[in-house]
Structures are given as C-alpha cells and as structure tokens.
C-alpha cells in the first residue's frame, strides 16, 4: 500500500505537515510524528528533506517529545536578518507546546543554525501564553509593508483565529481576531495566511481547517479571500469555501521562503478513521505538493490548486489517444498500474454519464465520473477496496458546469491514493483508497449516449 511519489514515514504514525520551508536548495518537511507507535502519542516533529519536492530523505526527529511537552503543529521561517539574535539565516520553528501534565497549550520557539540538522529549544519559552487549554498551530510569516513578523494561530473551540505581531519572533503583541465565520460546525485548527496576485491586484487567502463537521462530516479545510493590512484580515465574503471535495486533505500548510510560487501540501487523511487505515509499519501520508493561484467564477474569486510541474519527471511509459468516440461502453485501456498519471479531455456530446474507472481488479473499482444533467463531477469509492471504518467509504460530488461541453481531468493514482484535479484545478478531490492487490486496470466509459475523448494520455509513474 505504500505510495511511491507521496511522502510516508519509514514507520509509525504521522499527521499534519509542519514547518514547511525552503532553505539553501532544500525543501524541509516536518510533520507530527509518533516515533514509537502507529497511533497518536509521544508527538514531536519528524523531519525529511528533498531537493525536488517528490523524493524525500527522512532525517532524525527534529523536536522530540520531552519534559512533558509534545511539539504540536506549527511553522518555520528563515530569519534572514537575524531579528531573533539566533544567527543570520537561522531556521526558527514556532510550534505549539502541548503540556501533558496540565491542560495548557502555549507557543514555543526552537532554532537551528545548521540547516535544520540540530535544534535548540529557546530558553525564554513560552513566547506566547494566554492560559488556554486549546490555542494552537501558529503559522508565522514576514509582512513586508508593516515590517514585522505576523503569527496567525487558532482558538479551536471559539472557531476563531488570532493575529499577533513581533519584531524579533520572541515577544508577540495581539493585533486582531477573525471569526467565527464560514463553517463553524467543527473546531478550527491549523490556519495559514498568504498573499496571491490576481489581475494585477494582490489578495490574501486565510485558510483554516475544520475538525469534525466539514463537508463530508469529518475533517476538512475552508478558506476566505480578502485583504490583510498588517493588523487584521478583512473580507467581503464570509460564506464557506471548501478546499477539497474528497475526504482526505487536512491541515494543509504552505512553504515559507519560496520566492515566486505558493506551494502547499496536506496530511492525506481524516481524523474520523486515521487511526484505522490498513497500512503497516507506517501510517499516514502527505498529499502531492500543489501550486496555488486565484481564478474568478460567477460567484467571485476562488482558489485554484494544480499539481507541481516537477511531477512530470516521474513520467514513464505512456499510452495516448486522440479524437476517440465511445458510446454506451466501458473500455479497458492497454496500460495498467498502481501508480498512474492520467490527463484527459472529454467532449460531453450526449452521454448522460461518462468518465474513468481506475484501480480496477476482481473486486475493486473506483469511478471518477461526470453526470451531465446534474452537472456533477463525482468520485465513487464505495467499491474501491477495503472498508475498514463506517465513515471511510462514500461517493463525493460537486457541481462543475462545463465550458463548451469540455471536461478536463488530471488524475494521480499512487498505491492507496487518488487525487483528481478537475478543469485546471478549480476543484480537487483527494481520496484514500485501499484496493485489493493487482487492481491495476483502467477504463474509460460512457453511458446513455456517446462521448468523445479529445485527448487522453496515461503515464506509468
Ligand atoms: C490537526 C491537529 C492540530 C494539532 C495536531 C496534533 O490535525 O489536531 O490542531 O496541533 O493535530 O497532532
């Protein structure tokens, strides 16, 4: 079941990505990790590095559980101008200290002056303590126009985030609150805030995750688009925007210190069943890194996610076909695999439903389909393989009107995962699936009429 181009730990439990940062040609991925078991416990920051965001090398733990303090989620920055006094270009991690002997969460610092290989806990910890049991997941960034570090941090039970400012990362001043807004059914966790351009104007995105009570009931992420002025986040639109229409994309975090691109990745899982996923000796995987941008649809600005182009290096044997009509058929393709990339453009014509079947075996079938009348794109994983928990399986859909009848899908299949980028990433479905061994066939299908495959390319990865 182990994915080949998604990060998984050699062994034991992981959850959220933490401290994503680029420094001296290396991408750092830290993550919530239990080094001693495959369920949550003894949580600290595991660590891996990569030069291409795809192949990762696991390093020793960066921030292990010590002295009654688990290192919960947080972020990392490069302190280029030595504002903290830890050293020029010091890597500074800002994370939640989860105190195991009292009901308290506080924000702590640790730093590294050797490219993340060894870490020193700051003597003046905590750097922020508001005496709360639940107060966590600080994301820190440098805000150029107000010339200060900004921290966005969650108050989970209040369904709020708070902003703090600092000149040195060590002392923090309260700036503002945001929320409750959008989806408030579940607790709020793991905020992220960043700037993205659109049409010559700069906008700000505030992402915050919703634990239990998101789109499909369990964990999921939402976002708001507005402005950040150095003090507060302002938006005209408080409606709920979901990040992903599958069940398995949580705690997304974007890289800091990347100059031109905004790239994030998430924990490909859901707290509803994360402790029961049928893999061993590892448990938990990260999503593909995705590049973010904005686009406009009829209801306003939206977030687009696209797979990073670096993934093209993984392409091997390919099957292609153009201008191919199929009618009331399921057709198996002459290429198979457990690791595939599929790029397809359908011209809807008149078929009432059409799409792809992937990871097909004797008893497994996962459908990525489009239903013309309801204008719904869907992923059906009710027959995809092992169902190890009552909340795991399902059929997930989203309305996606077609432009000129054309549907473009960009799909990545990797052992136990499926990521479907719809259109040019206007919608994404991220799903875990656990098919039987050798469920490697792939099909195209049309029912209730014909569909034209304007272009199809399937690569083995
Ligand atoms: C999100 C989360 C964070 C917390 C971490 C603990 O999945 O609950 O809020 O810091 O996981 O591992």
């Amino acid at each position: 079941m182990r994915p080949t181009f998604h990060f998984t730990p050699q062994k034991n439990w992981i959850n959220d990505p933490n401290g994503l940062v680029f420094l001296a040609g290396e991408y750092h991925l830290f993550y919530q990790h239990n080094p001693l078991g495959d369920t949550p416990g003894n949580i600290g920051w595991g660590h891996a590095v990569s030069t291409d965001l795809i192949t990762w090398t696991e390093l020793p733990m960066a921030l292990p559980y010590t002295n009654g303090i688990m290192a919960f989620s947080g972020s990392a920055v490069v302190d280029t101008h030595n504002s903290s006094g830890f050293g020029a270009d010091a890597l500074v991690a800002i994370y939640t200290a989860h105190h195991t002997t009292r009901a308290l969460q506080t924000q702590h610092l640790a730093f590294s002056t050797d490219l993340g290989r060894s870490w020193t806990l700051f003597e003046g910890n905590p750097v922020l303590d508001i005496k709360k049991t639940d107060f966590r997941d600080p994301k820190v960034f440098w805000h150029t126009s107000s010339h200060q570090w900004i921290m966005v941090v969650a108050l989970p039970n209040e369904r709020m985030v708070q902003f703090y400012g600092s000149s040195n990362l060590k002392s923090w001043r309260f700036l503002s609150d945001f929320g409750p807004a959008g989806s408030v059914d579940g607790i709020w966790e793991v905020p992220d805030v960043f700037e993205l351009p659109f049409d010559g104007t700069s906008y700000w995105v505030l992402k915050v995750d919703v634990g239990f009570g998101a789109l499909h009931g369990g964990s999921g992420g939402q976002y708001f688009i507005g402005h950040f002025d150095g003090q507060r986040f302002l938006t005209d639109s408080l409606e709920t925007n979901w990040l992903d229409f599958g069940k398995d994309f949580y705690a997304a975090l974007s890289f800091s210190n990347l100059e031109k691109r905004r790239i994030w990745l998430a924990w490909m899982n859901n707290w509803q069943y994360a402790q029961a996923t049928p893999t061993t000796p590892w448990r938990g995987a990260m999503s593909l890194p995705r590049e973010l941008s904005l686009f406009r649809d009829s209801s306003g600005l939206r977030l687009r996610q696209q797979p990073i182009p670096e993934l093209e290096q993984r392409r091997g044997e390919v099957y292609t076909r153009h201008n191919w009509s199929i009618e009331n058929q399921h057709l198996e393709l002459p290429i198979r695999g457990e690791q595939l990339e599929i790029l397809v453009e359908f011209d809807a014509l008149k078929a009432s439903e059409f799409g792809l079947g992937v990871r097909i075996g004797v008893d497994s079938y996962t459908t990525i389909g489009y239903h013309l009348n309801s204008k719904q794109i869907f992923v059906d994983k009710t027959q995809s393989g092992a169902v190890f928990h009552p909340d795991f399986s399902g059929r997930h859909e989203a309305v996606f009107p077609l432009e000129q009848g054309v549907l473009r899908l960009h799909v990545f299949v990797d052992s136990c995962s499926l990521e479907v980028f719809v259109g040019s990433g206007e919608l994404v479905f991220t799903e875990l699936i656990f098919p039987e061994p050798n469920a490697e066939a792939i099909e195209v299908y049309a029912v209730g009429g014909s569909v034209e495959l304007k272009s199809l390319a399937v690569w083995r990865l």
Side-chain angles (χ1 to χ4, degrees), residues 9-14 31-47 58-66 70-71 281:
Q10 285 177 37
K11 56 179 192 215
N12 291 326
W13 167 267
I14 65 165
Y31 45 86
Q32 294 286 280
H33 185 38
N34 178 358
L36 304 178
D38 63 2
T39 52
N42 313 294
I43 291 287
W45 281 26
H47 189 193
E58 203 171 320
L59 298 177
M61 277 194 86
L63 303 174
Y65 172 41
T66 27
M70 294 197 196

Side-chain angles (χ1 to χ4, degrees), residues 15-16 32 43 72-73 136-137 189-190 250-251 267 271:
N15 56 292
D16 312 359
Q32 294 286 280
I43 291 287
F72 269 20
S73 287
R136 60 179 178 267
D137 310 336
E189 302 184 309
V190 201
Y250 197 63
W267 179 40
W271 277 113

Side-chain angles (χ1 to χ4, degrees), residues 343-391:
L343 195 52
V344 61
E345 251 184 43
F346 292 97
D347 190 332
L349 302 180
K350 292 207 174 54
S352 59
E353 189 191 306
F354 59 90
L356 302 168
V358 297
R359 300 305 306 277
I360 304 170
V362 179
D363 294 312
S364 313
Y365 196 105
T366 303
T367 312
I368 305 161
Y370 190 81
H371 194 260
L372 205 64
N373 272 346
S374 63
K375 300 187 173 54
Q376 277 184 347
I377 174 87
F378 65 89
V379 174
D380 187 339
K381 60 173 176 179
T382 53
Q383 309 297 320
S384 68
V387 178
F388 52 88
H389 187 282
D391 293 321

Side-chain angles (χ1 to χ4, degrees), residues 41-179:
N42 313 294
I43 291 287
W45 281 26
H47 189 193
V49 290
S50 170
T51 53
D52 63 4
L53 285 167
I54 303 164
T55 306
W56 296 95
T57 304
E58 203 171 320
L59 298 177
M61 277 194 86
L63 303 174
Y65 172 41
T66 27
N67 294 331
I69 290 182
M70 294 197 196
F72 269 20
S73 287
S75 52
V77 294
V78 178
D79 190 7
T80 314
H81 301 296
N82 197 14
S83 68
S84 59
F86 298 145
D89 277 342
L91 209 46
V92 182
I94 308 96
Y95 60 96
T96 297
H98 176 80
H99 301 255
T100 53
T101 53
R102 1 178 218 159
L104 181 67
Q105 293 183 338
T106 55
Q107 313 319 321
H108 282 206
L109 298 187
F111 60 92
S112 168
T113 51
D114 61 357
L115 304 175
R117 268 47 181 192
S118 66
W119 289 84
T120 307
L121 303 184
F122 174 47
E123 288 176 351
N125 282 331
V127 294
L128 186 58
D129 177 5
I130 60 167
K131 316 264 183 265
K132 284 263 185 191
T133 308
D134 290 284
F135 176 52
R136 60 179 178 267
D137 310 336
K139 172 70 196 266
V140 173
F141 59 95
W142 177 256
H143 186 244
T144 313
S145 52
S146 69
H147 209 75
Q148 62 181 329
W149 297 104
I150 301 288
M151 177 196 296
V152 57
V153 53
L155 286 173
N157 300 317
E158 290 83 347
R159 279 73 164 152
M160 283 167 66
V161 297
Q162 294 193 318
F163 290 90
Y164 292 83
S166 173
S167 60
N168 59 9
L169 297 166
K170 297 170 176 172
S171 61
W172 294 91
R173 175 173 70 89
F174 175 78
L175 297 173
S176 63
D177 289 319
F178 176 84

Side-chain angles (χ1 to χ4, degrees), residues 241-261:
N241 288 305
W242 296 111
L243 282 181
D244 198 287
F245 290 83
K247 277 207 80 158
D248 303 299
F249 190 77
Y250 197 63
L253 187 71
S254 69
F255 277 88
S256 65
N257 207 37
L258 277 187
E259 255 165 39
K260 296 215 172 63
R261 307 194 288 172

